[in-house]
Amino acid sequence: MVTLGYYVGIPFSNPFLRFYAICIVIGACVALVLSNYRAHKDGFDIHFFDSVFPIAFIAGIIGARVWYVIATYQQEFAGRSFWAIFDLRSGGLAIQGGAIGGILVGVLYCLFRRRGTSILRIADYAIPTILLAQAIGRWGNFFNQEVFGHFVSPDAWSFLPNWIVNNMQNGDLYMGAYMYNGTLVTAAQNGVLVPEGAIVSPLFLVEGVVNVMFFFLITIGLPTVLGKHFRKGDQSFAYFIAYGITRAILEPLRNPHFIMGTDGANKSSYKSLSMAIAFIVIGVVLILVNHVLHYLAEKGKFDRAPKWKAVFVEAEEQKVMEFEKKSSSEVEEEKTIDLSKLREKEKDLSEHKEE
């Protein structure tokens, strides 16, 4: 098989910009454009998220690094210099931490700078688009020749373009070898040697396709299925379920070398699999709580806390509810008047009959 003369960035010398970073930035920009578009469709300015993006993006990078360092501290950072934690060029970002960090900071920013709109509505515009950002960002794993699956025959993926299949192995070199400043750098100390005649499964591509599928299921399928029971915030919380399911399915399929928090010796100890299950549980619980709180808000249980009520019932919805309530009371009043008139008429008729 023929492989690319492997580079990990541009220009092809030192210093260079890694393709991994390029993929992450492109993914984030796609999420920004799509979030703005979704907000604009609902009547907001087309640049609604422009000021949120830089802050949330930086918070996401920080969160991704913090999560990775915590999860792999014993394997990668124990005994090393403290400054190794900040060496992002050596790799090490965890999507879980990136998503949580970016979402939390983005939500907090919108709470103070996007007042007057339900924070759940704002979140629904942006959070599902993270799935598309992840799908694009995963191509960084392709260029880094990392986070791949188990060894398989090339025939298993023969339907893919040759330039993908051919780079799911690296000849007699360790996966992770690349061109740096005109010199081939190997990763023998921490890479994976692929057996002759085999390739590694391109899980980056599989996860990307699954993420795109979940994006459409959440943004189009979920509102359609739930119908009148759909509530603001459901799409945001469904993201956690989608991400958890994706990782729970694909994590055991990874090459053990790239399973975070373990040396691959014992699959039952995979921390990342436990985290995936936790994401699913958290997402389900949040959706249930969201529906309960919406129900209580609509029943007037939060009338004494207008700011809290505004999270679930926006001003326009509240006006409709008050109008319907008023109309209902007027109908009841009319019914009461009509009944009293009937009773009076019956009394007059009975008295007339006695005479």
Coordinates of all heavy atoms in Angstrom, one line a residue, residues 22 42 55 64 119 150 184 245 281 284 297 324:
I22 N -6.2 23.1 12.9 CA -7.0 23.6 11.8 C -8.3 23.0 11.8 O -9.4 23.7 11.6 CB -6.3 23.4 10.5 CG1 -5.0 24.2 10.4 CG2 -7.2 23.8 9.3 CD1 -4.1 23.9 9.2
D42 N -35.2 32.3 14.0 CA -36.2 32.5 15.1 C -36.3 34.0 15.4 O -37.0 34.4 16.4 CB -35.7 31.8 16.3 CG -36.9 31.2 17.0 OD1 -38.0 31.2 16.5 OD2 -36.7 30.7 18.2
I55 N -15.1 33.6 23.7 CA -15.0 33.3 25.1 C -15.3 31.8 25.3 O -14.6 31.1 26.0 CB -16.0 34.1 25.9 CG1 -15.6 35.6 25.8 CG2 -16.0 33.7 27.4 CD1 -16.6 36.6 26.4
A64 N -11.0 21.2 27.8 CA -10.6 19.9 27.2 C -9.2 19.5 27.8 O -8.9 18.3 28.0 CB -10.5 20.1 25.7
I119 N -32.8 31.4 28.5 CA -31.5 30.8 28.3 C -31.6 29.5 27.7 O -30.7 29.0 27.0 CB -30.7 30.8 29.7 CG1 -29.2 30.5 29.4 CG2 -31.3 29.8 30.6 CD1 -28.5 31.5 28.6
H150 N -9.3 -1.1 16.1 CA -8.5 -2.3 16.1 C -8.0 -2.6 14.7 O -8.4 -2.0 13.7 CB -9.3 -3.5 16.7 CG -9.7 -3.3 18.1 ND1 -8.8 -3.4 19.1 CD2 -10.9 -3.0 18.7 CE1 -9.4 -3.2 20.3 NE2 -10.7 -2.9 20.0
L184 N 11.7 12.6 9.0 CA 10.7 11.7 9.4 C 10.9 11.4 10.9 O 11.9 10.9 11.4 CB 10.8 10.3 8.6 CG 9.7 9.3 8.9 CD1 8.3 9.8 8.5 CD2 10.0 8.0 8.3
I245 N -24.0 8.1 24.2 CA -24.3 6.9 23.4 C -23.1 6.7 22.4 O -22.7 5.6 22.3 CB -25.6 7.0 22.7 CG1 -26.8 7.0 23.7 CG2 -25.8 5.9 21.7 CD1 -28.1 7.3 23.1
V281 N -26.9 9.3 31.5 CA -27.7 9.5 32.7 C -28.0 10.9 33.0 O -29.2 11.3 33.2 CB -27.1 8.8 33.9 CG1 -27.9 9.1 35.2 CG2 -26.9 7.3 33.7
V284 N -30.6 12.3 30.4 CA -32.0 11.9 30.7 C -32.6 12.6 31.9 O -33.7 13.0 31.8 CB -32.0 10.3 30.9 CG1 -33.3 9.9 31.4 CG2 -31.6 9.6 29.6
A297 N -44.0 25.8 36.0 CA -44.0 27.2 35.6 C -45.3 27.6 34.9 O -45.9 28.6 35.1 CB -42.8 27.5 34.7
E324 N -55.6 33.3 27.6 CA -56.4 32.1 27.6 C -57.1 31.9 29.0 O -58.3 31.5 29.0 CB -55.6 30.8 27.3 CG -55.1 30.8 25.9 CD -54.1 29.6 25.7 OE1 -53.7 29.0 26.7 OE2 -53.8 29.3 24.5

